[in-house]
Amino acid sequence: MPHRTAPYGSWPSPVDARLVAAHDGRPEYLGAVGDELWWTAPRPEEGGRRALIRQRPGAEPESVLPPPWNVRNRVIEYGGRPWAGAPGTPGTEGPLVVFTHFPDQRLHLLRPDSAPDGDATGAAGPGARAEPVPLTPVSGAGGGLRWCDPVVRPAHGDVVCVLEEFTGDGPTDVRRTLASVPLDGSAADDRTRVRELTDDAHRFLTGARFSPDGRRVAWLAWDHPAMPWDGTLVRVADVTGDGAFTGARTVLGGPEESVAQVEWAADGRTLLAATDRTGWWNLHRVDPATGEAVNLCPREEEFGGGLWKIGLRWFAPLPGGLVAVLHGRGGQALGLLDPATGELADAPGPWTEWAPALAVADTRVVGIAAGAHSAYEIVELDTGSGHARVVAEEHRPAVDPAHLPHPQARTFTGPGGRDVHAHVYPPRHPDHQGPPGELPPYVIWVHGGPTSRVPMVLDLEIAYFTSRGIGVAEVDYGGSTGYGRAYRNRLRGQWGVVDVEDCAAVARALADEGTADPARLAIRGGSAGGWTSAASLTSPAGEVYACATITYPILDLKGWATGETHDFESQYLRSLVGDPEADADRYHDRSPVHHADRVDRPFLLLQGLDDVICPPVQCERFLERIAGRGVPHAYLAFEGEGHGFRRADTIVRAVEAELSLYAQTFGIDRDDVPTLPLKEDT
């Protein structure tokens, strides 16, 4: 079909905001229960809940819990693995599964194949399904009791979890331990029935990893002010006959060594750990008696990542001794590593990114994978045949793929000649093109974290803009994961400087090379990305951009460092910015809230009113400083939304508002989205 000529940004597109919302999120927390696969999946059209999905051999996936059951938790606020299961045993009907329910944060037990009239464990005869029953009590103190990363121990009649317990009303009035919860339901109304297996000497910890014989256990721990990508400890203990832990000791790690994951090797005697002691998260074999660590595959690649949620899994030992690993620079591929030889063979297939959610079922490795032109799918690798195939959540094009962008992995040059990695998504449409001599507008997307990265996978929100003629560039600025510890450490003490400079460098380079219109550049981001977007508008880099979209941001460093965020990140700024007292001037000078007078570009501010990580007070404080300055802006605040929008209606409103901002700022004529009212407050 001949191309029609129309201004960039004005092209028609079948990718509407409702479609974006319907495909928001991805499968998470994949696991094997015997020969079954289980995972959680997003349901934006059901209030943003997470459904628990089960797939039996040869059957289609099914949701085992109807609304309003929401399989998610709030441990460290970002949550962690919310479920675990054990196969059925003689005399029982099907598997036993425990999970956390988001509204009350309690741990519940379910036997999905049992009748509803069983005992407290749900064990009843065949027939109708049992309802979930609570295993843990509700606490009235602060954020209450929260649980994550469970491991079911049928032999001990318990489930071992990370317990997060609030001791007061403040966000940092909290303690964390590993705890044993009886499966008989006796702790549902009695906190004393919960047995703590570790002390609370360490501020943070991951769930238990038991040796194959159940006689030893390992876990990760760390303490303020470190974040898990700064420094963690591998802790090991012996397990007594009654399931208690004894003789806990540290065998690996330290303040400048980040261990992202630890597991027991198939031999049951040694540990496997993804540690960055070489400057890269490489997989090591660790002697639990001496702490001696041997690098199994020395490469300048990452075999781990940022532990933003408890229970992420970048590698998984197989029974025969091989190890399934995720590895790479930037994006991660699935490979099979032979620890004896160091040989690494990658799985075949079109997938360019694998989520840290590996599971093993006998000789099968199962993961969650996506590609530049496909959304996340459940993929199984048969290690015997080497064949990989999609077994669930198969990608089905929501629109003609001709409307989807073709991303480019690019490396730009930042200040001082440093590399800046980015993914560039040019505008693309099957039958539209821009007028001769016109360059497209571009939006710089800034990821959250900031110690995180962006995967180069199909994202319909990106396609929403590119199919209309607006380009997108996602920037892995200095400080991002995926490129080694030195790249991550660029942001130490330099947050609000390096990230701002690197994003501006990419924007300028796109304009200088003739890819983007220099007069129609924008920046957008959420959370830490919202910070960088706002900090850009209040810095000399602000002149690069015509407007900005700022979503649930950090805007006031001092406020965020003194009680306006959750415990997990409450001391994060010490590494990103400096000491709040000794570096008070730096906290003031970099905070957008103190430089609202420098903002002279239109902006859209989006905020969830239930956000406890970046609370609304930060936005309100910033808007007070903007008032009366004549800067066109809009503020949309959403009831029932927290840190990250999950509800379909919220996502639709936010996406359409962002497009309207660009249309008004860039002079684009569109009538398919509501006009966003921009206040000027003169």
Side-chain angles (χ1 to χ4, degrees), residues 40 43 51 53 62 150 152 264 412 509 512 559 604:
T40 69
R43 293 291 184 264
I53 309 299
E62 58 180 310
V152 178
W264 290 93
F412 296 89
D512 291 345
L604 167 62

Side-chain angles (χ1 to χ4, degrees), residues 566-649:
H566 59 146
D567 184 58
F568 177 58
E569 294 178 274
S570 61
Q571 297 189 34
Y572 194 7
L573 297 186
R574 289 180 175 272
S575 62
L576 293 175
V577 182
D579 181 90
E581 298 299 327
D583 301 305
D585 289 347
R586 192 183 299 170
Y587 275 67
H588 180 277
D589 293 344
R590 292 189 194 169
S591 293
V593 73
H594 298 304
H595 301 292
D597 59 303
R598 299 177 184 173
V599 179
D600 59 2
R601 312 295 162 103
F603 67 88
L604 167 62
L605 195 55
L606 302 167
Q607 179 67 47
L609 291 178
D610 294 345
D611 194 339
V612 298
I613 297 173
C614 296
V617 66
Q618 294 253 323
C619 289
E620 294 161 5
R621 197 173 296 143
F622 183 70
L623 291 171
E624 289 174 2
R625 307 290 178 89
I626 287 290
R629 297 202 56 257
V631 179
H633 68 278
Y635 178 49
L636 302 182
F638 299 98
E639 295 276 1
E641 292 283 11
H643 199 68
F645 300 152
R646 296 174 179 272
R647 299 181 175 183
D649 289 347

Side-chain angles (χ1 to χ4, degrees), residues 430-514:
D431 55 17
H432 277 71
Q433 64 184 8
E438 180 182 333
L439 294 175
Y442 259 79
V443 183
I444 302 298
W445 281 33
V446 192
H447 67 68
T451 313
S452 184
R453 66 177 179 88
V454 287
M456 192 165 73
V457 300
L458 175 61
D459 183 340
L460 287 183
E461 190 170 6
I462 292 177
Y464 178 84
F465 294 100
T466 58
S467 62
R468 288 167 167 76
I470 300 174
V472 169
E474 294 184 299
V475 183
D476 274 340
Y477 48 83
S480 300
T481 57
Y483 309 96
R485 188 174 185 109
Y487 197 86
R488 292 203 312 274
N489 285 351
R490 285 184 189 176
L491 211 56
R492 285 196 171 184
Q494 296 297 309
W495 197 38
V497 179
V498 166
D499 50 326
V500 168
E501 292 176 344
D502 285 359
C503 289
V506 172
R508 289 191 180 101
L510 291 173
D512 291 345
E513 70 185 23

Side-chain angles (χ1 to χ4, degrees), residues 236-583:
V236 174
D238 299 316
V239 181
T240 64
D242 66 352
F245 296 177
T246 184
R249 64 257 184 209
T250 297
V251 300
L252 193 73
E256 292 295 325
E257 180 180 0
S258 168
V259 183
Q261 182 188 342
V262 65
E263 305 284 344
W264 290 93
D267 62 17
R269 301 185 304 274
T270 58
L271 292 166
L272 297 173
T275 168
D276 72 349
R277 56 172 44 200
T278 65
W280 298 81
W281 275 304
N282 279 189
L283 191 64
H284 289 64
R285 180 191 293 113
V286 181
D287 185 330
T290 66
E292 179 185 1
V294 178
N295 195 337
L296 298 177
C297 188
R299 293 190 180 195
E300 290 190 347
E301 294 184 6
E302 304 284 37
F303 289 69
L307 195 63
W308 280 99
K309 296 181 178 182
I310 294 174
L312 301 183
R313 203 175 194 197
W314 289 271
F315 67 87
L318 283 120
L322 297 178
V323 184
V325 297
L326 303 184
H327 70 101
R329 282 193 179 212
Q332 291 189 312
L334 171 64
L336 290 178
L337 174 66
D338 185 342
T341 64
E343 294 181 0
L344 178 59
D346 284 347
W351 306 284
T352 57
E353 185 72 58
W354 291 73
L358 293 182
V360 169
D362 194 22
T363 61
R364 297 175 295 143
V365 178
V366 191
I368 302 172
H373 310 294
S374 61
Y376 284 97
E377 306 171 295
I378 308 293
V379 179
E380 175 189 277
L381 171 65
D382 185 321
T383 60
S385 67
H387 178 65
R389 65 188 182 101
V390 176
V391 295
E393 303 280 354
E394 182 178 4
H395 171 73
R396 292 182 174 85
V399 296
D400 182 345
H403 289 91
L404 304 178
H406 285 178
Q408 307 161 358
R410 300 278 305 273
T411 300
F412 296 89
T413 301
R418 64 180 181 246
D419 288 344
V420 180
H421 304 289
H423 303 150
V424 178
Y425 296 78
R428 184 169 183 262
H429 197 284
D431 55 17
H432 277 71
Q433 64 184 8
E438 180 182 333
L439 294 175
Y442 259 79
V443 183
I444 302 298
W445 281 33
V446 192
H447 67 68
T451 313
S452 184
R453 66 177 179 88
V454 287
M456 192 165 73
V457 300
L458 175 61
D459 183 340
L460 287 183
E461 190 170 6
I462 292 177
Y464 178 84
F465 294 100
T466 58
S467 62
R468 288 167 167 76
I470 300 174
V472 169
E474 294 184 299
V475 183
D476 274 340
Y477 48 83
S480 300
T481 57
Y483 309 96
R485 188 174 185 109
Y487 197 86
R488 292 203 312 274
N489 285 351
R490 285 184 189 176
L491 211 56
R492 285 196 171 184
Q494 296 297 309
W495 197 38
V497 179
V498 166
D499 50 326
V500 168
E501 292 176 344
D502 285 359
C503 289
V506 172
R508 289 191 180 101
L510 291 173
D512 291 345
E513 70 185 23
T515 296
D517 184 345
R520 296 192 295 173
L521 295 169
I523 187 168
R524 66 98 84 171
S527 190
W531 153 269
T532 301
S533 300
S536 295
L537 290 192
T538 57
S539 76
E543 66 183 17
V544 175
Y545 308 108
C547 61
T549 300
I550 303 166
T551 307
Y552 36 84
I554 300 158
L555 298 168
D556 180 358
L557 293 176
K558 182 178 179 181
W560 209 70
T562 54
E564 288 182 1
T565 192
H566 59 146
D567 184 58
F568 177 58
E569 294 178 274
S570 61
Q571 297 189 34
Y572 194 7
L573 297 186
R574 289 180 175 272
S575 62
L576 293 175
V577 182
D579 181 90
E581 298 299 327
D583 301 305

Side-chain angles (χ1 to χ4, degrees), residues 16-84:
D16 62 20
R18 284 283 169 193
L19 193 65
V20 171
H23 290 80
D24 185 70
R26 62 171 174 81
E28 284 189 297
Y29 302 114
L30 177 66
V33 181
D35 57 1
E36 300 181 0
L37 297 179
W38 291 63
W39 63 91
T40 69
R43 293 291 184 264
E45 72 284 359
E46 297 176 3
R49 79 179 185 103
R50 298 290 302 193
L52 185 60
I53 309 299
R54 175 190 192 185
Q55 185 179 38
R56 288 177 265 201
E60 290 296 311
E62 58 180 310
S63 177
V64 298
L65 294 166
W69 290 105
N70 188 353
V71 182
R72 183 174 153 229
N73 58 64
R74 289 181 59 184
V75 172
I76 68 169
E77 292 300 344
Y78 291 114
R81 187 176 182 85
W83 74 272

